[in-house]
Amino acid sequence: MARHLITSAIPYINGIKHLGNLVGSQLPADLYARYQRARGHEVLFLCATDEHGTPAELAAAKAGKPVADYCAEMHDVQAKLAEGFRLSFDHFGRSSSPQNHRLTQAFAKALDEAGLIREVSETQMYSPEDGRFLPDRYIEGTCPNCGFESARGDQCDNCTKQLDPVDLIDPRSTISGATNLEMRETKHLFLRQSAMKDELEAWIDTKADWPVLTTSIAKKWLNDGDGLQDRGITRDLDWGVPVQRGDEPWPGMEGKVFYVWFDAPIEYIACAQEWEEAGKGSDWARWWRTDAGADDVRYTQFMGKDNVPFHTLSFPATILGSGEPWKLVDYIKSFNYLNYEGGQFSTSRGRGVFMDQALDILPSDYWRWWLLSHAPESNDAEFTWENFQSSVNKDLADVLGNFASRVTKFCRSKFGEDVPAGGTFGDRERQLVADLSTKIGEYEAHMEAIEVRKAAAALRAAWVLGNEYLQEAAPWSTFKEDPETAAMQIRLGLNLIRLYAVISSPFIPDASAQLLEAMKAGDANWPSELDADLQKLGAGHAFTVPDVTFRKIADAEREDWQARFAGTR
Ligand SMILES: [Zn+2]
């Protein structure tokens, strides 16, 4: 039994995420966690909300609420949606937790003791009109790198370049719109990432198995232009982790907080502490400290491509720089973007489907299947309603759902709701077992490699094999001359339903549970000897005919949804 630590990039607290966000980290991470659990491995799957920084302050101000209240409410909203999509986190934490405050301050102390923090007196944008400094998203302007006109003070959304507010051309306050900004002196802490460039590069060079998307982004940040830059890790804000050296004050840094991108990844660790303190498990250090057993943990992170620099460079710089025995990531799975009907999802314009709306119109398995089987892995992918309708109707309703329905209904009408006795496997059945065995082997290999689309295709192919068998064997015809053989064919069909429920559970957990319950399957153990696994439901075993597993989407519904989500929210 292996031990898998799995984290999904933590979603920012403000607002409800769209389907593109979901498939970029949380959903594939859940797929992998469910798969590793189903294979009998020990899994700790963590996610949290990312709660600090200027966007939370701005959103809370807009909602007319104290920022702490706003974050607590939005955390609950996101937690409920995660449950709705069956995201099987062992804990869904909060980066504003006391655990993360303590750990972030402790990391800063360790980095300072290692000589990796420098204090910098610098001039920052100050808005006399707003009476405050304007860090990060409190300021917008034109990106000096790509010319995008709404680049934020900390990062350009268009070219993903990390920025400092002073870099912006034609800067303006996002609070008041003021452009009469002035430069004022303020003191900040910088993490000396440049001093760690060689160590980080050597570490990334050991990751020959990482996706090119991940390593190419990391290499770009390491080597482009002047190379890896030191990074300001503090801000003139109220909301965040107060700057302290461990539990001691940090002279000269009073009233400042750590930058959200410094404390957010540390929440991956703090989340395990929250998990333990919530009574959900024990010994968090066994997952995170290599001096406490984490050496044999395999740690996999999931994220969208815009988060790669922080996970390949900034967070490892924190971990390596601390000189303490923390677990480093073993594998980073990154994703491209999902587009929506020929454009982009847009939160501000309400374009595309958001997580709450998706669950209002269809159960989560429909979305899980489409999103995962079209995951933006090698390229950006596109959601279209035609494609969604076709994929649901063909893959889920016609192939899997129809198989379960035909087999159970035919059995009930001819043999009753018990697995029928009689007959033995012939050549056709032996061939099916061999073909399925090959296909499931491919499926497992793709899942191990986290090739999400290929895994979905192999799973679908395994469903198709059952349908083709049923079509050829035609027990409804066989029954007329040879009821014994028909009984064997149907017994195999019922066992196939059980098998499909087991192997499909990482993708479509609700349908899987429904089918296992209908088959009164007893166990949901992953198949090992397919011959024996396909005889687990023996003669006389009672089952029930399941309700419709997947319904079809009608053209009129599709057109209605197309119009509804075109951008009015
Ligand atoms: Zn840019």
Side-chain angles (χ1 to χ4, degrees):
M1 189 166 86
R3 296 172 59 217
H4 287 273
L5 174 62
I6 300 168
T7 58
S8 158
I10 64 177
Y12 199 73
I13 192 69
N14 68 335
I16 289 165
K17 307 302 157 192
H18 57 64
L19 296 181
N21 300 132
L22 180 64
V23 75
S25 57
Q26 290 180 319
L27 191 54
D30 180 70
L31 177 79
Y32 189 60
R34 285 179 178 275
Y35 174 74
Q36 293 300 350
R37 287 192 200 107
R39 299 308 307 271
H41 299 305
E42 192 182 355
V43 169
L44 183 63
F45 177 27
L46 302 173
C47 191
T49 38
D50 178 7
E51 303 192 1
H52 294 136
T54 53
E57 285 192 340
L58 289 168
K62 200 175 162 193
K65 289 177 180 164
V67 62
D69 295 358
Y70 171 81
C71 288
E73 282 171 28
M74 285 309 298
H75 174 82
D76 289 348
V77 168
Q78 294 206 22
K80 281 201 182 71
L81 288 171
E83 266 176 50
F85 276 94
R86 306 294 183 252
L87 303 177
S88 60
F89 307 133
D90 289 296
H91 189 69
F92 187 56
R94 302 182 58 187
S95 71
S96 63
S97 68
Q99 290 87 346
N100 196 40
H101 278 228
R102 283 195 295 271
L103 204 52
T104 298
Q105 291 162 343
F107 266 111
K109 181 182 182 190
L111 290 165
D112 189 42
E113 284 170 355
L116 291 169
I117 302 272
R118 59 188 175 92
E119 292 183 17
V120 176
S121 275
E122 57 176 17
T123 49
Q124 281 282 343
M125 290 288 183
Y126 185 87
S127 170
E129 212 167 302
D130 299 307
R132 59 176 297 165
F133 284 100
L134 299 177
D136 307 329
R137 298 193 188 200
Y138 281 110
I139 192 165
E140 268 189 7
T142 302
C143 172
N145 191 46
C146 74
F148 180 59
E149 286 179 3
S150 299
R152 304 185 319 250
D154 56 346
Q155 189 177 19
C156 173
D157 278 337
N158 188 51
C159 69
T160 77
K161 188 171 177 60
Q162 295 178 43
L163 299 170
D164 271 316
V166 289
D167 298 335
L168 294 170
I169 301 162
D170 298 330
R172 60 192 175 273
S173 161
T174 54
I175 307 167
S176 60
T179 54
N180 59 329
L181 309 179
E182 59 185 54
M183 306 297 284
R184 280 201 191 174
E185 182 117 327
T186 179
K187 198 160 81 167
H188 282 294
L189 302 181
F190 273 64
L191 177 60
R192 296 179 56 220
Q193 295 189 140
S194 59
M196 300 194 62
K197 178 185 178 274
D198 292 346
E199 195 179 350
L200 288 166
E201 188 153 34
W203 172 66
I204 287 166
D205 282 340
T206 66
K207 305 299 180 188
D209 63 327
W210 282 9
V212 175
L213 181 63
T214 305
T215 46
S216 63
I217 294 172
K219 291 277 183 177
K220 183 167 163 277
W221 287 108
L222 275 169
N223 298 311
D224 270 13
D226 298 329
L228 189 61
Q229 300 296 300
D230 293 350
R231 188 88 179 121
I233 58 163
T234 52
R235 290 292 186 270
D236 290 295
L237 293 175
D238 298 327
W239 175 240
V241 179
V243 177
Q244 287 187 190
R245 199 185 265 116
D247 48 19
E248 305 287 319
W250 202 309
M253 300 304 294
E254 296 80 7
K256 297 174 195 282
V257 299
F258 286 106
Y259 178 43
V260 58
W261 258 112
F262 183 67
D263 80 69
I266 296 172
E267 168 62 14
Y268 290 142
I269 307 174
C271 190
Q273 299 178 335
E274 293 172 45
W275 162 78
E276 178 172 342
E277 285 177 41
K280 296 175 178 172
S282 60
D283 205 358
W284 68 269
R286 191 172 152 263
W287 292 95
W288 271 110
R289 296 280 299 201
T290 55
D291 59 349
D295 257 338
D296 63 357
V297 167
R298 167 112 179 139
Y299 178 20
T300 308
Q301 292 176 341
F302 289 79
M303 69 198 64
K305 62 184 169 188
D306 51 331
N307 281 337
V308 168
F310 300 102
H311 288 79
T312 51
L313 304 170
S314 306
F315 187 42
T318 298
I319 296 237
L320 289 167
S322 74
E324 296 169 346
W326 297 103
K327 175 74 189 166
L328 274 166
V329 66
D330 293 302
Y331 192 79
I332 293 182
K333 175 72 179 182
S334 55
F335 290 85
N336 286 288
Y337 295 137
L338 180 70
N339 293 317
Y340 180 81
E341 293 262 353
Q344 292 181 338
F345 281 87
S346 167
T347 306
S348 56
R349 281 176 292 137
R351 189 167 191 281
V353 188
F354 290 70
M355 285 172 74
D356 54 344
Q357 301 167 325
L359 292 178
D360 280 345
I361 59 177
L362 282 172
S364 66
D365 278 355
Y366 293 68
W367 301 106
R368 289 178 63 106
W369 173 254
W370 188 90
L371 290 167
L372 291 167
S373 61
H374 295 78
E377 288 179 300
S378 48
N379 289 299
D380 288 352
E382 185 175 14
F383 178 92
T384 68
W385 284 103
E386 278 86 0
N387 188 311
F388 178 67
Q389 178 190 26
S390 147
S391 180
V392 164
N393 290 0
K394 285 185 189 150
D395 298 352
L396 298 180
D398 284 346
V399 181
L400 181 63
N402 190 42
F403 180 83
S405 168
R406 282 171 92 185
V407 168
T408 51
K409 283 181 180 159
F410 177 74
C411 187
R412 181 173 62 187
S413 72
K414 300 298 180 197
F415 302 103
E417 283 184 290
D418 294 311
V419 177
T424 50
F425 280 9
D427 286 347
R428 186 186 277 132
E429 287 72 29
R430 280 190 286 275
Q431 187 60 49
L432 172 65
V433 172
D435 292 346
L436 271 174
S437 188
T438 305
K439 202 43 79 182
I440 293 172
E442 285 172 24
Y443 173 56
E444 291 168 349
H446 293 319
M447 287 293 258
E448 292 296 342
I450 324 180
E451 293 280 0
V452 177
R453 273 180 181 235
K454 288 179 184 168
L459 177 60
R460 185 184 184 281
W463 299 340
V464 167
L465 285 172
N467 266 278
E468 287 172 352
Y469 168 79
L470 194 64
Q471 208 52 40
E472 284 170 30
W476 41 90
S477 305
T478 318
F479 184 77
K480 291 167 199 155
E481 279 113 49
D482 185 357
E484 286 254 309
T485 298
M488 176 278 291
Q489 292 165 341
I490 280 302
R491 191 165 66 245
L492 177 55
L494 292 166
N495 273 284
L496 280 170
I497 296 173
R498 180 192 168 279
L499 175 76
Y500 291 153
V502 172
I503 63 174
S504 308
S505 63
F507 278 89
I508 45 173
D510 287 350
S512 163
Q514 182 218 28
L515 292 175
L516 283 172
E517 200 189 323
M519 292 302 103
K520 302 187 199 297
D523 75 70
N525 294 338
W526 199 263
S528 48
E529 288 291 330
L530 210 48
D531 242 332
D533 283 301
L534 287 172
Q535 301 186 44
K536 280 205 167 177
L537 307 182
H541 176 91
F543 69 93
T544 54
V545 173
D547 291 334
V548 174
T549 312
F550 291 103
R551 72 171 182 85
K552 287 198 181 190
I553 296 171
D555 289 349
E557 276 180 305
R558 187 205 68 213
E559 285 159 16
D560 174 43
W561 293 336
Q562 232 158 357
R564 219 162 108 193
F565 298 107
T568 49
R569 186 180 169 101

